[in-house]
Amino acid sequence: MKDLFGQALLDYQNNNYTEDIITSTNISDEDTLPLPYLFRDYKDMPKLEQKALNLAQGSVLDVGCGAGGHSLYLQNKGLFVKSIDISEGAISVSKIRGVNHAYTASILDETEQFDTILLLMNGTGIFQKLSYVTKYLTHLKSLLKTNGQILIDSSDIQYMYEDEDGGLWIDTNANYYGELDYYLSYKGEKETPLTWLYLDFETLKTACLTVGLHCENIQEGDHFDYLAKLTISE
Ligand SMILES: C[S@@+](CC[C@H](N)C(=O)[O-])C[C@H]1O[C@@H](n2cnc3c(N)ncnc32)[C@H](O)[C@@H]1O
């Protein structure tokens, strides 16, 4: 990984903001990811993220913290927050912005236990593929304290396969429709392609059942997105 995402965050943080990140997928054309969005504060966050922050309590693990906006908000409320990201640039920016416990690490290497685990801005993306979901969920469950909760958002992207007549062109022989090849470029450089998973609520719920997690749909967003709360089944 070249960490172009982290480089973009560092540029913005260091007042070198000249370009946005460009993304595309195997089923969609180029789109811009505006860097200021990655530095949004509470009032500019989507309602689902605000809801997740309102529900967070106790010790918190912010997984894939990016520029640290969610961590900072909770830290300022007096909660203990540990923030991790595989992007070194993201962790540098989080530290500069005042996140107290920020570390370059993958979720799969985490071993401490928490009352709240946050995975926000399509948190299921980190699972990459449908076939990896139970591995990630089993690990996340092992990081929960008694009565702990995982707050995760995602979208059902079936709408992206609709043609003008409302028909669907999903290839039923292909992988799960939410599993996308994701391309990112910044300042003319291309990042190593990655797989990014959008998971509809029912599929997430079924996967949770298989690993002994209860999955509740806390709130629906404006565009097929939702916030789920995962807790250990009785
Ligand atoms: C879509 S961004 C969201 C950033 C931030 N949560 C936000 O809402 O602005 C996803 C983040 O997850 C990080 N990430 C991807 N895989 C990860 C993993 N296995 N463990 C920890 N972080 C990961 C990426 O580097 C990126 O910063």
Side-chain angles (χ1 to χ4, degrees), residues 1 3 5 9 33 37-40 49 62-70 84-87 90 105-108 119-122 125-128 136 182 196:
M1 182 176 88
D3 197 17
F5 183 77
L9 293 180
L33 174 53
Y37 184 75
L38 297 167
F39 288 77
R40 62 200 178 281
E49 292 182 9
D62 184 4
V63 181
C65 63
H70 302 116
I84 58 169
D85 203 296
I86 53 169
S87 159
S106 166
I107 180 58
L108 293 177
L119 298 103
L120 296 178
M121 196 174 164
N122 188 43
I126 285 175
F127 305 162
Q128 301 165 74
Y136 277 90
Y182 191 85
W196 192 242

Side-chain angles (χ1 to χ4, degrees), residues 162-167:
E162 262 177 32
D163 58 29
E164 290 97 65
D165 311 325

Side-chain angles (χ1 to χ4, degrees), residues 97-117:
R97 296 181 79 206
V99 176
N100 287 334
H101 308 284
Y103 306 94
T104 308
S106 166
I107 180 58
L108 293 177
D109 297 324
E110 181 58 50
T111 54
E112 284 179 60
Q113 289 192 319
F114 301 86
D115 296 300
T116 301
I117 302 177

Side-chain angles (χ1 to χ4, degrees), residues 192-228:
T192 317
L194 52 107
T195 312
W196 192 242
L197 180 69
Y198 291 87
L199 210 48
D200 68 280
F201 177 74
E202 287 306 321
T203 306
L204 174 63
K205 192 176 173 181
T206 305
C208 282
L209 269 176
T210 64
V211 302
L213 283 169
H214 174 72
C215 179
E216 185 186 347
N217 192 338
I218 292 288
Q219 194 172 312
E220 305 268 352
D222 296 332
H223 202 244
F224 306 103
D225 48 340
Y226 64 88
L227 175 70

